[in-house]
Amino acid sequence: MKMTSRSLSRAALASAFLATSLGVSLVLATSAGAATTLGASAAQTGRYFGTAVSAGKLGDSTYVNILNREFTMITPENEMKWDATEPNRGQFNYTGGDRILNQAVSTGKRVRGHALLWYQQEPGWAQRMEGSDLRQAMMNHVTQVATHYKGKLYSWDVVNEAFADGGSGARRDSNLQRTGNDWIEAAFRAARAADPSAKLCYNDYNTDGVNAKSTGIYNMVRDFKSRGVPIDCVGFQSHLTNSAPGDYQANLQRFADLGVEVQITELDISGSNQAAVYGTVTRACLAVARCAGLTVWGIRDSDSWRTGENPLLFDGSGNKKAAYNAVLDALNAGGTTTTPTTPTTPTTPTTPTTPTTTTTTTTPVPGDCSASVSLNSWNGGFVATVKVTAGSTALDGWRVTTVLPAGAAVTSAWNAGQTGSTGTVTWANVTYNGTVAAGQSTEFGFQGTGSGDGITAACAAS
Ligand code: XIL
């Protein structure tokens, strides 16, 4: 029989209906929790799932296939560290970091920058430095590297592993720490001034439960938040063996309650209980709304820095392990929807504008000192870096007088003692930067609201 156009369209409608209802049920099954990769299943609650990547492995097809398929965030394993990016003082090398960033961008992934300042993997020249010289080199490093990657990174680990292990809750001794206890906040301020859109994180290990070390960090973050030091996130490395502390989730939550994002940044877990512990850690992040995502520290067991411990989600051949399934199942079971945050500093406008840099120099006075101001400005605020240069004789203490334009006010400062905050503001050296050899310089800085255009500075020995 010949089909009429009416019966044809009826048949077409019927099969379209069948296809549609089948299609709908398939779609529903997927969105109801059967995402099949780590990245896609984490995305169901607004989170990322990342891995550390080594630039040298980007030619390994097994490695790259898993990377492209499973992960939505990348942390360069070594390529953005100080020894890699500034092997000689003032000479920057972004080859490895850029390679990873390009790989990420071209495959639609984001990047966590790691790490601007860390007492390990300092280049040899920095290891041999101390005091105000080192402080200057540190801040320059932060500014230069953060400027190179400006606008391109999800977040930066601005400072890595600055707290001591054990029961003190104190800072770890290092040449960085010996430049003055304010080095961490100075680094965060410099990073924010250089790249206003990257979230700025403090990152550490052995901080996975409530303990003396994590409480020391908690107190620092609380203090930073109360004083307007720009910090947006705290990274928990989570290099675990056999178990996670029972208060893992509660610890994440207490940091989240300070108003910072929390991230699991270098997850790897050894021991026979591996799969279960991976599940526990994943569920803890999912239960904390401000936990933005998890990153594992490598792809295959053979890629791990913990040689022989097999702490990752894929075996040496790239096969999924039981730990992988535990993570995937936990992600697919869902959790709180994460609330994305944007970096904000109380004294910084929320809409980043392109900073402009201007420099004012006063005439050097022989035998005395001179001061020059370099300004990083945005709409409504600025960071001023003041360079104090000794004249023909060494300084053993200095005072700088700055005159701020009407409407400008200092909100925070580093590397100098401050008197006043509007109009004429005077500055005195601190203990570690009063001595400056003839012709040499040291720097201090401050952040302010309003416009800093036209600030003048004059220096006198004291
Ligand atoms: C490790 C890398 O995985 C190794 O390749 C390198 O030799 C040493 O550093 N905490 C961190 C990471 O913040 O940068 C470290 O990465 C592991 C511990």
Side-chain angles (χ1 to χ4, degrees):
M1 187 187 101
K2 200 176 168 238
M3 263 196 177
T4 62
S5 71
R6 176 176 289 249
S7 62
L8 204 165
S9 69
R10 208 174 265 155
L13 259 180
S15 62
F17 177 76
L18 191 68
T20 308
S21 51
L22 266 178
V24 165
S25 63
L26 280 176
V27 168
L28 281 180
T30 307
S31 63
T36 54
T37 65
L38 300 169
S41 50
Q44 294 175 136
T45 59
R47 292 177 172 82
Y48 63 81
F49 204 98
T51 180
V53 161
S54 174
K57 291 178 183 158
L58 290 176
D60 174 335
S61 61
T62 308
Y63 184 85
V64 173
N65 285 341
I66 302 173
L67 171 62
N68 288 346
R69 188 184 72 219
E70 297 286 345
F71 298 98
T72 51
M73 183 74 78
I74 292 179
T75 306
E77 188 170 356
N78 291 296
E79 293 75 356
M80 290 190 187
K81 292 174 182 173
W82 197 354
D83 59 351
T85 49
E86 197 181 359
N88 299 300
R89 189 173 186 180
Q91 285 178 12
F92 293 85
N93 183 338
Y94 299 111
T95 315
D98 285 358
R99 202 163 157 216
I100 292 179
L101 179 65
N102 291 338
Q103 165 83 17
V105 169
S106 66
T107 53
K109 306 180 199 307
R110 294 179 291 176
V111 172
R112 295 189 73 261
H114 173 79
L116 290 170
L117 293 177
W118 184 25
Y119 76 101
Q120 284 191 34
Q121 293 181 265
E122 285 180 23
W125 62 267
Q127 287 175 32
R128 292 185 289 273
M129 287 174 74
E130 294 283 346
S132 56
D133 257 11
L134 174 62
R135 174 65 75 98
Q136 229 170 292
M138 290 155 65
M139 294 306 139
N140 184 53
H141 179 75
V142 170
T143 300
Q144 297 294 330
V145 178
T147 300
H148 178 80
Y149 288 110
K150 182 182 170 194
K152 297 180 175 154
L153 302 183
Y154 175 77
S155 62
W156 260 118
D157 290 334
V158 179
V159 169
N160 196 32
E161 302 184 355
F163 277 73
D165 292 312
S168 71
R171 300 282 182 86
R172 168 193 298 283
D173 178 55
S174 70
N175 62 345
L176 309 176
Q177 179 63 30
R178 289 191 296 270
T179 68
N181 203 51
D182 63 340
W183 72 280
I184 299 183
E185 58 193 89
F188 275 80
R189 287 193 170 101
R192 177 69 103 235
D195 182 355
S197 69
K199 302 188 200 216
L200 304 181
C201 305
Y202 176 82
N203 189 49
D204 215 327
Y205 68 95
N206 279 353
T207 51
D208 311 300
V210 176
N211 58 37
K213 185 175 179 181
S214 64
T215 298
I217 296 164
Y218 175 86
N219 290 336
M220 177 186 77
V221 175
R222 191 176 52 185
D223 170 52
F224 280 10
K225 292 298 278 184
S226 77
R227 291 190 293 113
V229 177
I231 184 165
D232 306 299
C233 36
V234 175
F236 298 82
Q237 293 185 9
S238 303
H239 297 296
L240 299 172
T241 303
N242 297 319
S243 63
D247 52 7
Y248 189 93
Q249 181 185 321
N251 188 48
L252 293 181
Q253 188 65 58
R254 73 169 173 155
F255 279 86
D257 290 344
L258 291 175
V260 285
E261 179 174 307
V262 296
Q263 307 172 356
I264 313 305
T265 53
E266 303 183 13
L267 184 60
D268 50 17
I269 306 170
S270 66
S272 54
N273 215 14
Q274 180 178 69
V277 183
Y278 262 108
T280 302
V281 169
T282 306
R283 282 188 294 274
C285 176
L286 286 164
V288 175
R290 282 203 174 99
C291 183
L294 302 100
T295 295
V296 287
W297 206 242
I299 297 180
R300 300 161 300 194
D301 283 335
S302 50
D303 301 316
S304 174
W305 70 304
R306 296 170 69 178
T307 310
E309 293 186 56
N310 300 326
L312 294 174
L313 301 178
F314 296 86
D315 70 18
S317 309
N319 300 309
K320 296 170 182 174
K321 295 165 56 180
Y324 172 96
N325 292 322
V327 171
L328 191 71
D329 289 350
L331 292 171
N332 278 328
T336 60
T337 301
T338 190
T339 43
T341 58
T342 44
T344 44
T345 314
T347 52
T348 307
T350 44
T351 42
T353 51
T354 316
T356 51
T357 306
T358 49
T359 307
T360 333
T361 314
T362 54
T363 323
V365 183
D368 204 344
C369 56
S370 64
S372 66
V373 187
S374 140
L375 214 53
N376 228 322
S377 305
W378 57 88
N379 190 14
F382 62 90
V383 166
T385 306
V386 184
K387 188 172 188 177
V388 176
T389 306
S392 53
T393 55
L395 292 171
D396 192 22
W398 46 263
R399 282 170 68 80
V400 168
T401 304
T402 51
V403 180
L404 272 59
V410 176
T411 50
S412 58
W414 50 99
N415 291 351
Q418 174 189 352
T419 308
S421 59
T422 57
T424 301
V425 182
T426 57
W427 308 90
N429 64 275
V430 286
T431 47
Y432 56 81
N433 64 8
T435 306
V436 185
Q440 299 298 299
S441 303
T442 187
E443 283 183 346
F444 70 92
F446 55 93
Q447 181 164 331
T449 50
S451 166
D453 281 350
I455 290 183
T456 60
C459 181
S462 64

